[in-house]
Amino acid sequence: MNTIPALLDHLVLATPDLAATVAEFTRRTGVAPAPGGAHVGLGTRNHLVGLGGTTYLEIIGPDPEQTGTDGPQPFGVDGLTAPRTITWAISPLDLDTTAAAARAQGYDPGEVRAMSRRRPDGTLLRWRLTDGTAHPSGLVPFLIDWGDSVHPSAAGLPVTPLLRMSATAPAPDEIHPALTALGTHLGLDEGPVRLSFTVDTPRGAVTFH
């Protein structure tokens, strides 16, 4: 089986300290992630790295320039104590049709909502996505639709090609039906919940968990 999931849009590496994690990624790979932008009102911002084709890595963490934001931050970054590959996203041809088909097969990917952020060059990106917490393990992807916005991978990002993805879960057979309902796959072995990916870099293959 191809170790890169079908329809993969991006991976999410969440961290309690964005600057430190970006510096560590740069040290390990020799590639510096590009600033993405702030999620205004949510208290987070991100840096991005292309993974080849129309896929990318999002490194997301608290935005020190945003203060007084209410509620939990995206991907639970405000509760993390260390960086972690927390989940992933797929981009089907039709988000609403795929979500409806998944519900008909017994998996509800969650409510669809709109989000936006402004790139450093001022370009406003708008997208729709399903609830990223629909499956608490993070091993089942959320769905994303970029609409008319330019896909982040097309913004001249530095690239570390994705070589493979894998995961472990206490009961892999309980996760496969949800993946099938969404039209994708993920290599799963038995073990504690963990999502891993390996990229090709100027310093060789590097794996992140």
Side-chain angles (χ1 to χ4, degrees):
M1 177 184 290
N2 187 343
T3 60
I4 298 177
L7 307 176
L8 176 64
D9 186 84
H10 68 279
L11 287 157
V12 180
L13 177 59
T15 174
D17 188 329
L18 183 59
T21 300
V22 167
E24 178 67 3
F25 185 95
T26 304
R27 183 190 69 78
R28 293 184 63 191
T29 67
V31 175
H39 306 105
V40 177
L42 296 177
T44 55
R45 66 185 308 115
N46 62 21
H47 278 60
L48 310 177
V49 181
L51 295 176
T54 57
T55 63
Y56 70 98
L57 170 67
E58 175 183 24
I59 305 175
I60 184 171
D63 181 0
E65 296 183 7
Q66 294 188 58
T67 58
T69 54
D70 296 324
Q73 294 179 339
F75 304 113
V77 297
D78 48 338
L80 293 175
T81 58
R84 182 162 69 90
T85 307
I86 203 159
T87 193
W88 53 299
I90 59 172
S91 182
L93 289 176
D94 188 313
L95 185 152
D96 297 295
T97 297
T98 300
R103 292 186 190 104
Q105 296 179 61
Y107 176 68
D108 185 357
E111 179 183 356
V112 178
R113 56 193 177 96
M115 289 188 67
S116 66
R117 69 172 167 84
R118 198 169 292 278
R119 293 192 331 208
D121 65 4
T123 302
L124 182 65
L125 301 182
R126 298 181 185 273
W127 64 92
R128 297 190 308 137
L129 78 172
T130 57
D131 185 354
T133 62
H135 197 285
S137 72
L139 301 183
V140 178
F142 61 96
L143 281 62
I144 192 164
D145 176 6
W146 290 96
D148 295 330
S149 291
V150 175
H151 192 269
S153 65
L157 298 178
V159 176
T160 57
L162 181 63
L163 296 176
R164 55 187 171 273
M165 270 179 66
S166 64
T168 56
D173 288 345
E174 295 180 1
I175 293 176
H176 286 302
L179 296 172
T180 300
L182 294 175
T184 190
H185 65 268
L186 178 64
L188 282 162
D189 291 317
E190 188 172 344
V193 171
R194 187 170 74 169
L195 182 62
S196 304
F197 68 95
T198 301
V199 290
D200 189 16
T201 82
R203 296 179 179 169
V206 180
T207 298
F208 294 87
H209 303 293

